[in-house]
Amino acid sequence: MTPPPSSTLTWAQLRDLRCAELEGAADGWGKASNRADAGRDRIEKQLLNGLRETQRGAAAEAAVGRLRQLGQNLQYVYTECGLVRTALNSLAHEMRAQQRALREALDDAEALRFTVHADGSVTYPEAGEGLIDGKPLPGGTASVTASPGLLPPSGLVAPNPNAGKAQDIADRVTKAVRTAAEIDWRFAGILRDLKAEEGLKVPDRTWTDAAGDAAAVRDAARGYLKSGIPLDASPAARKAWWAGLTDEQREEYLAVYPDQIGNLDGIPALVRDTANRDNLQLLIGKLEGQDDEDAETKLAGLREIDRQLKEGRQPPMYLLGIGDEGNGRAIVSYGNPDTARNVSAYVPGLNTSLDEDFARNDLKRAWDTAKGANKYDHSSASIVWLGYDAPQSVDGLDSLDVMGDERAVAGGGAFSRFMGGISATNENEDQHLTAIGHSYGSRTVGAATQQVGGIPGVDDIILVGSPGVGVDRAEDLGVGKGHVFVGAAENDVVTKLPSKTQSVAGAVGWVAAGPAGAYLMGDITDPGDDNLWFGRDPASEAFGARRFPVGEGPRLVSGSGVSIDAHSQYFDPQRDAVSADSIALIAAGRADKVKIEDSR
């Protein structure tokens, strides 16, 4: 950053600065931001829904398009006006700190009967006694130094006891003025950049600028806002913190730190959804400004999520988390998890990342579960949780992550904290929570159960397409073995991966040919064994879980070639109605209605 130019700010100007006027201006920008937010909310929750429900045809579609554009414009106004408000409040906050430092120095000077001059130098009176004649030592003037706070060498310090005190006051006055000048210069640049393009549309490049604006204001507001976010607190403490904020404080946090608030476990779902919808636009703008394959992949996923959010699905979508770190983060709920009595959360596995495939297929699994559960209990919500870096495709030695526990353990800790947040914000005394793990996600759920306290609030666990969960008995998952349910398709190769102790051939097959190769080699080297890669087969009799029936799925090898589709249809009511219905029943708290079949 270019250093600030020499400032003409004086200590008298700093003393007389009216920070309340800055805060008053901030309030005005806040009101403009709130009006834009209210307009956007009315468009999304009233006008668009009314049009969709009552009108059809080209004219209606055109009206919907125009309303969506207006809503996006208002969202941009909301964001930018909110950033201006926080920039002004942050400026007032930092200037007040320098005013306090200045006032303390001036008060000390007055108490000592020193004189502070316009240039910051300080005159002090005679004091002490001369060593020879015993007369008071003459007074003098402490000048402004180039580096306030650095005293001259001790051999050059004048013997008058007031000299050191006067120099300290001069240094404090100078430091306060120089710091205030730097603050003023820094915020002037931020405020100059907070300007919009002319016109009635908000194109993607404008959101790219908005992402840069938000980053600048976030950095400037660290001491004013960010330091107050209880990042290390429990979900219950975070919920209490949010409830204790004023409306204005909440508005500022949402405008400036939607990424922090939207991904903070323990914050109410409606608040997280609001924050993440705004952060979604900022992330799209940020990634639009990058030119690499990773950004393009994540952009496709973000745009598909954005499209579905605007589509008006039922049960309604709530965006509980979004981010571009690692392989990407996205947490979507169908139904409000704070008001629904039954809440299920599904953890996906191998190859899952924030891309278009995730946004289409993994979100659909949660949506299908939500629709199925609501047939049995209307107070049901279903979540897809991509809150960790799942292992990616097997394409070399870097892909050995899928053979280890590290990502599952890290993800398990994050999932446990997330469910703790869901449990803390749910408003029902008789809440019913279900954790669902698919593929490597079942190992992640297993790791979550081994955290201190397990998975907070979870009553039932569903494991489908599992290569093992890290424990050998259902009772070790912390919910009682009668509350652990397993689905394993006969032709799902992942549910038959060889154990680590069987043969090196299994590992070689995994790296060389993927799950199919590992399955074939493992089947040859140790047929009939009930141990899988991550422990005992959850579908085995020895594990002790309740196995519900599922379709066999397509065979591994057929006339059409090699297929592992049997691994991906557990949630699909079209391709495996029995499995999807069993998952929905358990998620709705009706596990007693689930048919149980024999273990392997």
Side-chain angles (χ1 to χ4, degrees), residues 51-66:
L51 270 173
R52 292 190 188 103
E53 292 171 1
T54 62
Q55 304 296 319
R56 296 289 186 274
E61 292 178 4
V64 167
R66 295 295 295 273

Side-chain angles (χ1 to χ4, degrees), residues 389-593:
D389 282 331
Q392 297 302 295
S393 296
V394 178
D395 55 6
L397 294 180
D398 290 341
S399 297
L400 294 179
D401 284 327
V402 75
M403 297 172 66
D405 295 302
E406 292 80 7
R407 296 197 180 199
V409 171
F415 182 65
S416 177
R417 292 189 292 273
F418 171 77
M419 294 303 288
I422 294 297
S423 179
T425 58
N426 189 278
E427 300 168 3
N428 295 275
E429 293 183 2
D430 59 342
Q431 60 183 256
H432 169 253
L433 305 185
T434 303
I436 306 173
H438 174 244
S439 188
Y440 190 89
S442 68
R443 176 66 187 96
T444 303
V445 169
T449 68
Q450 304 307 300
Q451 299 289 312
V452 176
I455 311 178
V458 165
D459 303 285
D460 293 312
I461 292 175
I462 302 174
L463 309 169
V464 289
S466 177
V469 296
V471 300
D472 289 334
R473 300 179 305 171
E475 60 197 71
D476 293 334
L477 294 177
V479 295
K481 67 178 185 179
H483 291 273
V484 179
F485 299 86
V486 177
E490 178 61 28
N491 292 322
D492 182 352
V493 297
V494 175
T495 68
K496 297 182 178 181
L497 291 178
S499 72
K500 297 177 184 178
T501 59
Q502 283 178 344
S503 170
V504 176
V508 172
W510 179 272
V511 174
Y519 163 64
L520 291 172
M521 292 180 184
D523 193 47
I524 293 171
T525 57
D526 196 1
D529 197 300
D530 64 4
N531 287 320
L532 301 181
W533 190 262
F534 293 116
R536 182 158 286 148
D537 179 3
S540 69
E541 182 177 2
F543 190 83
R546 302 173 69 187
R547 185 184 181 191
F548 56 86
V550 301
E552 291 186 353
R555 295 180 60 82
L556 174 66
V557 181
S558 67
S560 302
V562 176
S563 168
I564 59 171
D565 287 349
H567 184 58
S568 61
Q569 59 188 37
Y570 293 98
F571 301 87
D572 194 324
Q574 302 300 319
R575 294 191 295 169
D576 195 337
V578 174
S579 175
D581 191 57
S582 297
I583 293 172
L585 279 167
I586 299 164
R590 303 292 176 86
D592 58 312
K593 303 295 184 182

Side-chain angles (χ1 to χ4, degrees), residues 37-356:
D37 189 41
R40 176 188 61 170
D41 193 61
R42 183 164 181 248
I43 287 171
E44 293 180 353
K45 296 183 179 179
Q46 296 180 30
L47 299 180
L48 282 174
N49 287 339
L51 270 173
R52 292 190 188 103
E53 292 171 1
T54 62
Q55 304 296 319
R56 296 289 186 274
E61 292 178 4
V64 167
R66 295 295 295 273
L67 281 173
R68 282 178 175 169
Q69 180 64 62
L70 180 57
Q72 189 172 28
N73 292 355
L74 289 172
Q75 182 174 14
Y76 177 71
V77 172
Y78 159 78
T79 298
E80 290 292 304
C81 288
L83 293 176
V84 173
R85 171 183 55 190
T86 299
L88 290 171
N89 277 332
S90 297
L91 173 60
H93 174 79
E94 293 197 32
M95 284 299 199
R96 272 211 173 92
Q98 301 313 313
Q99 282 183 318
R100 285 194 297 270
L102 173 65
R103 174 50 61 190
E104 290 171 0
L106 295 177
D107 288 346
D108 288 346
E110 183 178 3
L112 293 167
R113 300 182 183 278
F114 293 177
T115 300
V116 181
H117 301 287
D119 65 352
S121 60
V122 179
T123 296
Y124 56 92
E126 62 182 15
E129 297 180 352
L131 296 176
I132 298 176
D133 56 11
K135 294 181 180 180
L137 298 169
T141 299
S143 60
V144 174
T145 62
S147 301
L150 295 179
L151 295 175
S154 58
L156 300 178
V157 175
N160 185 328
N162 283 330
K165 298 175 183 178
Q167 188 62 60
D168 174 66
I169 291 171
D171 288 349
R172 288 156 62 194
V173 169
T174 302
K175 183 178 180 181
V177 172
R178 289 179 178 172
T179 303
E182 187 277 330
I183 293 168
D184 179 61
W185 170 83
R186 178 159 45 89
F187 275 92
I190 291 172
L191 290 166
R192 275 195 300 268
D193 289 339
L194 289 172
K195 59 182 180 181
E197 294 184 12
E198 295 182 3
L200 297 177
K201 291 187 177 182
V202 180
D204 289 336
R205 65 177 180 276
T206 304
W207 279 110
T208 300
D209 292 339
D213 293 341
V217 175
R218 286 172 190 168
D219 184 65
R222 282 177 298 179
Y224 171 61
L225 285 179
K226 188 176 182 181
S227 60
I229 301 175
L231 297 176
D232 296 326
S234 67
R238 291 169 177 169
K239 179 184 176 183
W241 167 77
W242 184 260
L245 296 177
T246 65
D247 288 342
E248 182 179 1
Q249 287 172 323
R250 291 174 188 162
E251 290 163 6
E252 287 202 74
Y253 276 115
L254 286 172
V256 181
Y257 290 106
D259 57 328
Q260 297 282 335
I261 302 303
N263 291 286
L264 200 61
D265 299 326
I267 300 298
L270 283 172
V271 177
R272 293 181 70 163
D273 178 62
T274 297
N276 285 314
R277 285 176 187 247
D278 292 331
N279 193 41
L280 175 63
Q281 300 304 320
L282 294 173
L283 282 172
I284 289 174
K286 172 187 172 183
L287 295 176
E288 274 286 343
Q290 301 175 12
D291 185 21
D292 59 77
E293 185 177 350
D294 181 65
E296 291 179 2
T297 298
K298 291 173 179 173
L299 259 177
L302 293 173
R303 290 191 185 284
E304 175 59 21
I305 292 173
D306 187 43
R307 184 193 68 79
Q308 293 183 33
L309 285 168
K310 294 174 180 175
E311 190 177 58
R313 289 191 169 188
Q314 293 297 326
M317 289 176 68
Y318 294 82
L319 190 57
L320 303 182
I322 200 73
D324 64 342
E325 61 267 35
N327 293 329
R329 302 286 187 267
I331 307 171
V332 174
S333 178
Y334 291 93
N336 188 334
D338 288 352
T339 58
R341 189 182 77 84
N342 305 294
V343 182
S344 64
Y346 144 61
V347 182
L350 175 67
N351 282 342
T352 311
S353 62
L354 180 54
D355 56 16
E356 189 171 5

